[in-house]
Structures are given as structure tokens and as C-alpha cells.
Amino acid sequence: MSGETVVLGVDPGLNTTGYGVVAVSRGRIRLVDAGVLKPAQGLPLPLRLRELHRDLGEIMDAHRPEAMAIEQVYSHYRHPRTAIIMGHARGVLCLAAAQRDIPVKSIPATHIKKAVTGRGRAGKEQVGGMVCRLLGIPGPLSPMDVSDALAAAIAYCEEAADV
């Protein structure tokens, strides 16, 4: 894979974390791997976080990304618990990257949407459709956490190309 840059995109969540690995070379982007991490539901929080950390670490070890793109935390002020729970998941995912010296780029959701669709306020279906189109995937990705993770990786690649 000479000349390729491998990027891991992550859509963090405590119940479902989407991940997507892409490789970019000479302005062309291709899908390497994608899926979800789902810690066991009945486990206490520390054990669920351990599973997330371990599982993402295995993906990193398998694909050796040069960077990880992760959606920046956003939570409406009426739902602070959501931000706190998301922060737990983000923390262990970022730790897995740091332990492997993989730089982490936190990207706002509006920037991700704009990079993929041209509109910062695009809906999830539009983002998912454009991710499939850009990567040559024939059908919709399910769950949407996968397309969100791939969108983060694509946004990272777009930003890196502009630098």
C-alpha cells in the first residue's frame, strides 16, 4: 500500500460506536473496512468502556491508520447526560489512539457534513447517501453510525488535501 494514507473515522457512542477505515492515494479514496462496536449491554460502565477500548485497538492494530478522525462532542444544553456519556466513550477511544501514537483530529459535525455533501446542515440520510456514492458502495449503510464514521474519515482526508 505504498503512497496510501490510511485514516480511521469514528462515530463514538457507548451503545454503538461506528468505525470506518479509508485509504487515500492521489486524490482517490477507497473503503478498507467499516462496522460497529457494540459493548455488551448488561455490563457495568467500566467494563463496557474496556470492551470499546480493546475492540477499537484491535482495528487500529489490524489497519495501522496514520490518523483518527472523530466527531466533536455536541449536546444540547437540555441533555447534558448525553455529553457526559459520549465523553466516556470518546475518552477511551482517544486513549486507544494515543497508546499507538495515532494523532486524533476532532471535527465538528457541521464540518463533516459540509465536506461530504457540501452542506453543513445536511441530514443523516443525505450524508449516508453521499458516503456510499463517494466510496462506490451499492446500498445504504446500516446502522448510520457506520456512514457517520466514514464521513468523519472522508472529512479528514478533504481537510488534509486542502492543507
Side-chain angles (χ1 to χ4, degrees), residues 31 132-133 135-141:
L31 174 65
C132 288
R133 186 172 176 197
L135 296 175
I137 299 168
L141 293 163

Side-chain angles (χ1 to χ4, degrees), residues 3 6 14 42 53 74 77 94 107 127 146 155:
V6 178
L14 190 55
H53 180 267
Y74 171 79
Y77 69 90
C94 290
I107 306 173
V127 171
V146 177

Side-chain angles (χ1 to χ4, degrees), residues 76-98:
H76 196 276
Y77 69 90
R78 283 184 251 162
H79 305 286
R81 182 170 160 70
T82 301
I84 292 167
I85 290 170
M86 183 74 70
H88 289 315
R90 273 182 111 255
V92 298
L93 299 170
C94 290
L95 174 62

